[in-house]
Amino acid sequence: MRIERIEIRHTKMELVSAFETSMGVETYEEHIIVRVDGDGATGWGECVVEEAPLYSSETVQTAWHVLRDFLIPGVLGRKISRVDDAIALGAKFRGHRMAKAGLESALWDALAKAKSVSLSKMLGGTRERVPVGVSVGLQATPEALVKKVGQYLEEGYRRIKIKIAPGRDIALVKALRKEFPKILLQVDANSAYELSDVDVFRAMDDYDLLLIEQPLSYEDIYDHSKLQRKLKTPICLDESIHTLADARAALELESCRVINIKPGRVGGFMESVAIHDYCASRNIPVWHGGMLESGIGRAGNVALASLPNFTLPGDISASKRYYKEDIVEPEFVLNSDSTMTVPTRPGIGIEVLMDRLERVTVRREEFKS
Ligand code: OSB
Ligand code: MG
């Protein structure tokens, strides 16, 4: 496929409710939507950078710069027949994995559509439905959290993840376990603690949690190995895993027993599949994380999560958990068995609603060969 045209859009979408984590409060989500056109096919991708460098060091502005000045000029006008070709063209540029993943995902969609296969098939997916849960932000009080979780359980989510932060941790877990003794429950600290906080996590060992996500620093692997040795509950790394090499280091050092995979964080679907396969070979389960994507990114996430070693429920919730109206059709809905259906149509398998995309676009730039 000859890449004839690429368009990037900075989008801003209002969340249905504020999302608070140890990193701060978000009331809307800013991302970059990438569109690639070539040989009559159109591919869409979502670059999951945020406004501020809180979760990742990348931002909307850094990704815009790297896409516009380095990654897009590398592929524009070229003939790309496999995603590997595009990855090779960008490989000399270091870091900026979310920017790379945004472009890579649009190319995957375009190439899969050109071949008339679903992205799930193209990535090696084996399942028609994937198990999902919901990620619940910090609430004002433990009572408010219990109420919010109750609502999500009512909607059919069978796995709950809650955000924790220093001083807002064990009391939340206690309150939830009292009300819901049997639910699948896990916590995410987003790097808010230090090794000296070991007692907080030791206390969590009594509450039958599925896992503790990213308790320590966002690039650390070594201290997590020291913490994991002192806990019964599995540690799951999110922020610390940027590459297959990081995953290898983390498993060799026994820093975690589970890995969260987000294509944006690791530079795309190709690296995600490599991490998935490596973890499978070591009997380490993986699950699909989320970055509050619109339906464009979500469609790709569901396709990736259809690979066989994504055995734990993902942070892939229904469109309406995030946005009043999604920018795709059909929007993503939760099945009654707490799963999401994997699209089977070519590529990411959804239609982008151009009028809605237009309404959430705050800046747009077009590149032609
Ligand atoms: O740490 O998993 C995280 C959202 C933004 C940045 C980081 C994280 C999250 C979530 C939300 O937990 C997951 C979702 O998209 O539902
Ligand atoms: Mg996380």
Side-chain angles (χ1 to χ4, degrees):
M1 168 183 301
R2 206 182 83 86
I3 307 302
E4 292 150 9
R5 181 179 175 277
I6 299 181
E7 179 186 85
I8 53 178
R9 290 169 180 260
H10 174 176
T11 56
K12 183 166 176 172
M13 290 172 70
E14 193 181 358
L15 292 163
V16 289
S17 58
F19 189 62
E20 182 175 1
T21 70
S22 63
M23 305 174 287
V25 187
E26 289 181 271
T27 54
Y28 51 82
E29 197 60 22
E30 295 186 44
H31 283 168
I32 297 173
I33 299 297
V34 182
R35 173 180 171 161
V36 170
D37 286 282
D39 295 351
T42 296
W44 294 95
E46 183 161 349
C47 173
V48 297
V49 282
E50 297 185 304
E51 183 185 10
L54 294 169
Y55 168 80
S56 153
S57 59
E58 293 184 75
T59 69
V60 171
Q61 296 306 325
T62 69
W64 193 277
H65 161 54
V66 170
L67 281 163
R68 171 186 200 280
D69 298 328
F70 302 104
L71 302 178
I72 291 175
V75 296
L76 206 61
R78 297 235 184 197
K79 202 167 168 293
I80 306 272
S81 47
R82 291 159 1 116
V83 178
D84 307 50
D85 303 342
I87 294 174
L89 290 167
K92 66 180 175 203
F93 302 115
R94 297 182 182 180
H96 299 284
R97 295 190 173 84
M98 288 182 176
K100 289 174 178 168
L103 179 57
E104 194 205 288
S105 56
L107 290 166
W108 275 104
D109 183 32
L111 289 168
K113 280 173 178 155
K115 289 199 171 112
S116 261
V117 296
S118 69
L119 179 60
S120 164
K121 277 258 153 50
M122 194 139 141
L123 291 172
T126 53
R127 294 176 301 173
E128 289 166 16
R129 291 177 161 211
V130 298
V132 303
V134 60
S135 173
V136 188
L138 287 160
Q139 307 293 313
T141 62
E143 296 72 41
L145 178 66
V146 167
K147 189 168 164 219
K148 187 99 178 170
V149 166
Q151 287 164 1
Y152 284 128
L153 292 169
E154 195 95 330
E155 287 174 32
Y157 290 103
R158 292 212 206 117
R159 185 281 265 154
I160 301 292
K161 153 169 149 183
I162 63 160
K163 294 290 183 176
I164 56 167
R168 303 164 81 183
D169 39 46
I170 198 74
L172 303 180
V173 171
K174 234 181 186 159
L176 282 176
R177 267 297 175 238
K178 187 160 170 248
E179 194 73 19
F180 311 112
K182 293 266 162 62
I183 60 168
L184 299 179
L185 182 63
Q186 62 193 57
V187 298
D188 187 0
N190 288 112
S191 299
Y193 294 82
E194 293 177 11
L195 201 47
S196 56
D197 296 314
V198 57
D199 289 345
V200 172
F201 299 105
R202 273 228 177 95
M204 291 197 183
D205 269 345
D206 295 336
Y207 294 93
D208 192 24
L209 301 179
L210 281 171
L211 56 89
I212 296 167
E213 185 177 345
Q214 195 70 34
L216 309 180
S217 182
Y218 56 88
E219 277 174 342
D220 170 78
I221 292 180
Y222 181 58
D223 278 355
H224 278 100
S225 76
K226 293 192 179 173
L227 182 62
Q228 179 67 92
R229 241 177 280 152
K230 296 181 172 145
L231 304 177
K232 285 189 292 184
T233 311
I235 288 178
C236 166
L237 291 178
D238 172 353
E239 281 91 329
S240 293
I241 306 297
H242 307 104
T243 58
L244 172 61
D246 287 341
R248 232 185 303 150
L251 298 194
E252 288 290 328
L253 281 170
E254 301 183 28
S255 304
C256 63
R257 296 187 203 132
V258 178
I259 288 180
N260 162 321
I261 295 180
K262 295 178 182 172
R265 198 192 64 228
V266 304
F269 291 130
M270 200 66 110
E271 192 76 2
S272 299
V273 171
I275 294 172
H276 163 277
D277 292 351
Y278 171 68
C279 288
S281 77
R282 304 266 318 233
N283 282 319
I284 293 289
V286 301
W287 58 283
H288 204 299
M291 291 295 293
L292 311 173
E293 289 89 347
S294 76
I296 294 175
R298 192 165 311 284
N301 293 355
V302 172
L304 178 63
S306 71
L307 271 70
N309 194 39
F310 281 89
T311 49
L312 293 169
D315 277 350
I316 307 177
S317 310
S319 297
K320 68 170 193 197
R321 175 258 175 269
Y322 307 94
Y323 303 105
K324 207 161 94 195
E325 38 175 50
D326 206 337
I327 56 175
V328 306
E329 203 175 61
E331 47 167 56
F332 286 88
V333 294
L334 184 70
N335 298 321
S336 59
D337 56 351
S338 196
T339 64
M340 202 152 276
T341 303
V342 181
T344 52
R345 294 196 302 152
I348 57 173
I350 45 85
E351 246 10 273
V352 175
L353 297 170
M354 290 309 296
D355 54 331
R356 293 201 187 158
L357 175 61
E358 201 59 57
R359 254 183 276 149
V360 300
T361 298
V362 297
R363 179 185 178 196
R364 191 178 76 91
E365 194 164 343
E366 193 182 338
F367 307 86
K368 280 186 175 157
S369 69

